[in-house]
């Protein structure tokens, strides 16, 4: 089965082609194109939805054409089109959805709607030309989705059998990093820069809070961290030189400590055999290392999976992968954008 995946829920315009068959535990990545309007957003310090959608209208057709060309796929070689229907920015979602619906009609192909958050989890099943390690993911699995818009813990008993365990009550982990980055004068998105700065800093210099780390649930709260950092920055007038690196290290460590503790709590409580990470923040090396180390120590039989780094952030391949494992065609007339879509 060859699937074209289209993703436009936030600021990326992405399309990819994957191939899969029911005898393989993985899907094979044939092409992956991502156009980002990040440069525009770094000028404004964040995403302006109207700007993102206008850029996506410009990119969507060339991006799909390139994804087809790179995978040597003709429209007739495709078996289905998968598209993100939510959650996300309404204008951005509509660009991908209306394009997918039009192509499905013109090419006479089935269309599979995909939840963006579930897509992030399915980045773990993708390999490229058989080159990457086969991910033989065993259930039950606990998935941690950590992105700019979401922080969620999900129990996966099987494909299509998901239970939401908890999520952030305010800012997502990536959102907290981006907003704190703004306070520190870093450009958007700040997550990767904070990771770099943190390598030079001392995470113990500032004792930032670890919100809800001991709460008896799987919820998170990261907005208080922002207040804590803004106090440090304001009190010191301006964070300069070594202080920026120490603040970066402290903030990153605080977020990682909470994410790792709650993920391990969920894994223990549900006897999960696998831990799956997904979303932009899961590209963070420190998060990966600390999760691996603590899991080895506490629950050595549990296997941890991370997507390839370029598949942690938004892409069309994860949408096509989710569609393959949860294949459900929907008549194109019934497909609509759902900006508030969540877990059922
Ligand atoms: O998954 P994603 O591309 O978009 C959403 O669906 O939200 O995630 C983007 C988020 C941003 O907040 C960005 O700062 C964060 O992921 N991010 C990182 C890293 N790379 C991206 N955060 C920490 N460390 C990184 N290496
Ligand atoms: Zn995302």
């Amino acid at each position: 089965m060859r699937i074209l995946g289209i993703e436009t829920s936030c600021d990326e315009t992405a399309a990819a082609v994957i191939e899969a068959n029911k005898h393989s535990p993985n899907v094979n990545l044939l092409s992956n194109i991502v156009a980002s309007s990040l440069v525009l957003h770094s000028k404004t310090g964040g995403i302006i939805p109207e700007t993102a959608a206008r850029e996506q209208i410009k990119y969507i057709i060339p991006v799909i054409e390139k994804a087809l060309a790179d995978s040597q796929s003709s429209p007739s070689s495709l078996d289905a089109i998968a598209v993100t229907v939510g959650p996300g920015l309404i204008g951005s979602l509509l660009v991908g959805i209306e394009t997918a619906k039009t192509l499905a009609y013109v090419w006479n192909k089935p269309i599979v709607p995909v939840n963006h958050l579930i897509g992030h989890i399915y980045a773990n099943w993708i390999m490229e030309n058989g080159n990457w390690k086969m991910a033989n993911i065993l259930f039950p699995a606990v998935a941690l989705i950590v992105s700019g818009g979401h922080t969620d813990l999900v129990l996966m008993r099987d494909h299509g059998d998901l239970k939401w365990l908890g999520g952030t009550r305010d800012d997502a982990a990536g959102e907290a990093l981006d907003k704190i980055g703004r306070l520190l004068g870093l450009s958007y998105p700040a997550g990767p820069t904070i990771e770099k700065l943190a390598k030079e800093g001392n995470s113990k210099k500032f004792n930032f809070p670890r919100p809800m780390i001991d709460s008896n649930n799987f919820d998170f709260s990261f907005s208080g961290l922002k207040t804590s950092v803004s106090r440090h920055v304001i009190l010191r007038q301006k964070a300069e030189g070594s202080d920026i690196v120490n603040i970066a290290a402290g903030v990153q460590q605080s977020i990682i400590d909470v994410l790792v503790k709650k993920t391990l709590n969920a894994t223990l409580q549900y006897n999960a055999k696998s831990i799956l990470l997904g979303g932009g923040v899961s590209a963070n090396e420190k998060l990966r290392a600390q999760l691996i180390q603590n899991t080895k120590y506490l629950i050595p039989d549990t296997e941890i999976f991370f997507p390839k780094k370029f598949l942690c952030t938004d892409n069309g391949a994860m949408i096509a992968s989710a569609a393959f494992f949860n294949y459900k065609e929907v008549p194109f007339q019934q497909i609509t954008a759902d900006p508030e879509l969540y877990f059922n």
Side-chain angles (χ1 to χ4, degrees):
M1 201 174 204
R2 199 170 267 224
I3 304 180
L4 167 68
I6 298 176
E7 154 62 41
T8 62
S9 65
C10 192
D11 60 328
E12 272 90 10
T13 312
V17 177
I18 61 120
E19 202 166 49
N21 70 61
K22 61 178 188 304
H23 305 297
S24 166
N26 297 94
V27 302
N28 199 18
L29 182 63
L30 301 183
S31 67
N32 185 52
I33 308 297
V34 182
S36 170
S37 47
L38 263 187
V39 179
L40 291 176
H41 308 313
S42 57
K43 283 186 196 146
T44 47
I47 296 167
I48 296 180
E50 180 68 18
T51 311
R54 281 172 189 264
E55 289 301 297
Q56 284 163 322
I57 289 172
K58 284 193 236 161
Y59 293 139
I60 187 79
I61 299 295
V63 162
I64 292 173
E65 278 176 344
K66 180 105 174 73
L68 293 179
D70 282 9
S71 60
Q72 297 178 334
S73 304
S74 60
S76 62
S77 69
L78 297 174
D79 296 292
I81 298 173
V83 65
T84 303
V85 291
L89 306 169
I90 180 74
S92 294
L93 286 168
L94 282 172
V95 175
I97 291 172
E98 294 309 316
T99 307
K101 285 161 75 168
T102 308
L103 294 178
Y105 176 69
V106 173
W107 294 342
N108 193 23
K109 300 289 170 191
I111 183 162
V112 182
V114 175
N115 178 325
H116 177 82
L117 300 173
I118 295 176
H120 272 303
I121 302 176
Y122 276 91
N124 286 290
W125 272 267
I126 302 170
M127 60 173 193
E128 188 179 47
N129 295 326
N131 282 335
W132 305 340
K133 192 183 142 207
M134 297 279 274
N136 198 8
I137 296 167
L138 299 178
F139 295 115
V142 160
L144 172 69
I145 302 160
V146 264
S147 71
H150 296 271
T151 302
D152 290 291
L153 269 170
V154 180
L155 173 67
M156 243 182 131
R157 296 190 197 95
D158 202 342
H159 294 298
D161 184 358
L162 271 63
K163 180 181 179 237
W164 180 78
L165 301 176
T168 185
R169 295 187 179 179
D170 40 57
D171 288 356
E175 185 180 1
L177 289 169
D178 294 337
K179 288 178 174 170
I180 289 167
R182 198 173 175 162
L183 285 173
L184 298 175
L186 308 177
S187 64
Y188 175 88
T193 319
I194 289 183
E195 176 170 27
K196 268 192 215 118
L197 292 172
K199 287 194 180 121
E200 315 294 322
N202 171 4
S203 64
K204 297 202 169 78
K205 174 151 184 207
F206 297 107
N207 191 19
F208 293 120
R210 267 94 175 129
M212 299 186 75
I213 195 162
D214 292 319
S215 69
N216 195 17
N217 56 28
F218 300 113
D219 285 350
F220 303 87
S221 163
F222 293 115
S223 77
L225 260 180
K226 222 169 33 201
T227 317
S228 185
V229 173
S230 78
R231 266 205 210 109
H232 283 291
V233 175
I234 291 161
L235 282 179
R236 289 164 180 269
Q237 297 293 313
K238 210 170 165 206
E240 278 176 357
S242 64
D243 264 357
I244 287 198
V245 295
N246 294 328
I247 291 172
V251 162
Q252 177 180 267
Q253 194 56 55
S254 153
I255 292 177
I256 290 175
D257 284 350
V258 180
L259 293 175
V260 169
K261 174 101 188 292
K262 296 249 162 165
T263 305
L264 290 182
N265 285 353
T267 309
L268 282 165
Q269 182 163 329
Y270 291 96
N271 283 320
K273 293 185 175 135
S274 317
I275 297 175
L276 312 174
L277 259 71
V281 182
S282 67
N284 187 284
E285 288 290 349
K286 189 85 206 291
L287 169 64
R288 291 175 176 219
Q290 191 164 318
L291 189 60
I292 291 171
Q293 195 185 21
N294 290 20
T295 307
K296 257 193 197 147
Y297 179 69
L298 273 176
I299 21 178
D301 291 339
T302 307
E303 205 170 344
I304 306 176
F305 297 89
F306 306 100
K308 287 271 163 189
K309 280 201 181 173
F310 73 94
L311 295 172
C312 288
T313 44
D314 293 349
N315 63 83
M318 67 187 201
I319 302 305
S321 173
F324 174 74
F325 288 106
N326 303 273
Y327 195 85
K328 195 166 171 240
E329 297 175 20
V330 174
F332 76 88
Q333 299 89 335
Q334 290 173 22
I335 293 179
T336 51
D338 186 352
E340 307 294 330
L341 184 64
Y342 212 49
F343 294 98
N344 298 327

